[in-house]
Amino acid sequence: MQFTMKTKTSDYLSWNDCSKIEQALLNAKQYRIYLYLVMGKKFGLRAKDMLSLRWVDLLGNDMLVIKESKTGKVRTIPIAKDTKKAINFVHETLNPADDEFIFKSWSKSGVMSSQYISKQLRYYSLPVVGWDKHISTHSTRKTLGRRVLDQTKNKEYALLMLNEIYNHSSLNVTKRYLGIRNEEKMEIYKSL
């Protein structure tokens, strides 16, 4: 008999919880992890693509242009004023070389691992969201999706746009990704 452990997918964070976690990260001087959360919830990039960013990709730019590692597609993402402010604050605080990786590791290996960033996000989010949420680098990507969905009146349009942003193969994949399928099923049961 083979035992397999069930893996839980990452949960999204509420926008309000993100603000609290960002403040906790700033208080702890975890500036790069703070910036990962800020940029992750605004850009919706996969961890591998986030970790490939260098300061020069963002500083002084109104747009981030990136070729996604998984899909090979080029994405152009506007950089919001509050995101620019966070980027500039961390850059001024750390004073790195402009061609340095934003998420530079303390070791000589180059960049932080997504596992390390996930561990830090979990640690600083625990007092805010508790034990029942699974927080990882992927949570920031899902947070963007839930924010767009919650802020848009036309949910079908929001899902279509998120499907494009995420480069998912179908709308059903996007719904499942955001946990909407399970919510819809639970609502059906509740209505009986």
Side-chain angles (χ1 to χ4, degrees), residues 42-53:
K42 291 291 189 88
F43 296 165
L45 293 172
R46 290 177 182 87
K48 186 173 183 178
D49 294 326
M50 286 280 288
L51 296 176
S52 73
L53 294 174

Side-chain angles (χ1 to χ4, degrees), residues 74-133:
V74 174
R75 278 185 60 192
T76 302
I77 304 167
I79 304 172
K81 287 181 184 178
D82 60 334
T83 307
K84 278 186 192 183
K85 185 177 174 183
I87 291 165
N88 290 332
F89 168 76
V90 173
H91 185 262
E92 289 169 12
T93 302
L94 299 178
N95 197 27
D98 289 352
D99 66 341
E100 184 177 287
F101 286 109
I102 294 172
F103 305 105
K104 182 179 182 279
S105 173
W106 298 109
S107 71
K108 295 179 182 178
S109 65
V111 298
M112 296 176 182
S113 69
S114 60
Q115 293 85 358
Y116 174 78
I117 294 172
S118 292
K119 183 178 176 182
Q120 294 302 307
L121 287 172
R122 277 191 296 277
Y123 179 80
Y124 288 97
S125 66
L126 185 62
V128 177
V129 301
W131 287 98
D132 56 339
K133 284 212 175 214

Side-chain angles (χ1 to χ4, degrees), residues 34-77:
Y34 157 78
L35 197 53
Y36 188 94
L37 181 56
V38 169
M39 289 172 28
K41 73 178 190 183
K42 291 291 189 88
F43 296 165
L45 293 172
R46 290 177 182 87
K48 186 173 183 178
D49 294 326
M50 286 280 288
L51 296 176
S52 73
L53 294 174
R54 296 176 185 270
W55 291 104
V56 72
D57 297 327
L58 302 172
L59 294 173
N61 296 325
D62 292 329
M63 299 282 185
L64 168 63
V65 180
I66 186 168
K67 185 176 181 179
E68 292 184 326
S69 58
K70 184 173 182 178
T71 65
K73 294 180 180 179
V74 174
R75 278 185 60 192
T76 302
I77 304 167

